[in-house]
Amino acid sequence: EIVLTQSPGTLSLSPGERATLSCRASQSVSVSNLAWYQQKSGQAPRLVIYGASNRAADIPDRFSGSGSGTDFTLTITRLEPEDFAVYYCQQYGSSPYTFGQGTKLEIK
Amino acid sequence: QITLKESGPTVVKPTQTLTLTCTFSGFSLTTSGVGVGWIRQPPGKALEFLGILYWDDDKRYSPSLESRLTFTKDASKNQVILTMTDVDPVDTATYFCALRRRYCSGVRCQFGSFEIWGQGTVVTVSS
């Protein structure tokens, strides 16, 4: 089973700033089968990035993903108030399709 | 428009069997390359992958829960059913179902991530 470790656990930033979230895998993630989800309180997760670097439908271009192998990054430039949420990474190349423990992006 | 919705009991007693239904629209589980996954989230905790059922009846279960989980489908009703035996208070969580599909570019095909999720259903295990 691939273990995903996200850092930091909590990130405190102000609107307009840049956010960098990290996801590290215990072994290489095949064919960059790495996704990022955004979850707001009381809501279902929403797909943000798939294939490590592809934005999902209706996701603004201030969101970008990068990385390969075992190290992946989600970057949000110019934070908007609606971006503050919990973000999870998930690998979907090797079952079980595990999730990271999440990074909470909060307003400073 | 694709939608998924989970339904089932809100409270289940310890040792009982939990049955949840995911009812979907906008796609068919008879279409090649389609799968419906189950994910849960205990209160205040992270997401946990439970497993997935594919169009061809192939299934993948989380190893830690495989002995207690069963997925079945009723394609005519556009439903996937999750059955979990011998529940415990640690199974208290919001349970989500989500759509996964295969995409092909030329001769190369690959399964995607969980692209659309249901709203989730809260299940409490308590006597």
Side-chain angles (χ1 to χ4, degrees), chain A residues 1 30-33 35 37 39 42-47 49-51 88 90 92-93 95-102, chain B residues 39 41 44-49 52 54 60-64 96 100 108 110-120:
Chain A
E1 173 174 323
S30 61
V31 201
S32 293
N33 287 324
Y37 300 89
Q39 187 179 33
Q43 296 184 17
R46 176 192 183 193
L47 179 64
I49 297 287
Y50 65 93
Y88 293 95
Q90 182 208 19
Y92 53 92
S95 186
Y97 305 131
T98 46
F99 292 87
Q101 83 278 20
Chain B
I39 303 97
Q41 185 173 38
K45 294 189 177 181
L47 301 166
E48 179 185 12
F49 171 77
I52 188 165
Y54 291 101
R60 296 286 186 267
Y61 296 105
S62 169
S64 63
F96 299 97
R100 187 186 196 204
R108 184 184 174 197
Q110 186 175 346
F111 278 95
S113 56
F114 291 115
E115 54 185 277
I116 299 174
W117 295 56
Q119 64 190 25

Side-chain angles (χ1 to χ4, degrees), chain A residues 16-37:
Chain A
E17 290 192 296
R18 178 189 184 99
T20 302
L21 288 66
S22 174
C23 177
R24 176 163 290 181
S26 61
Q27 54 188 280
S28 185
V29 175
S30 61
V31 201
S32 293
N33 287 324
L34 193 286
W36 291 92
Y37 300 89

Side-chain angles (χ1 to χ4, degrees), chain B residues 4-12 17-24 36 38 77-84 93-98 118-123:
Chain B
L4 302 96
K5 187 173 183 179
E6 308 83 354
S7 60
T10 56
V11 180
V12 183
T17 296
L18 169 66
T19 301
L20 297 175
T21 300
C22 176
T23 303
F24 53 85
V36 172
W38 287 95
K77 292 183 179 178
N78 283 351
Q79 291 180 334
V80 172
I81 297 99
L82 174 156
T83 303
M84 179 183 289
T94 300
Y95 286 75
F96 299 97
C97 60
Q119 64 190 25
T121 187
V122 177
V123 177

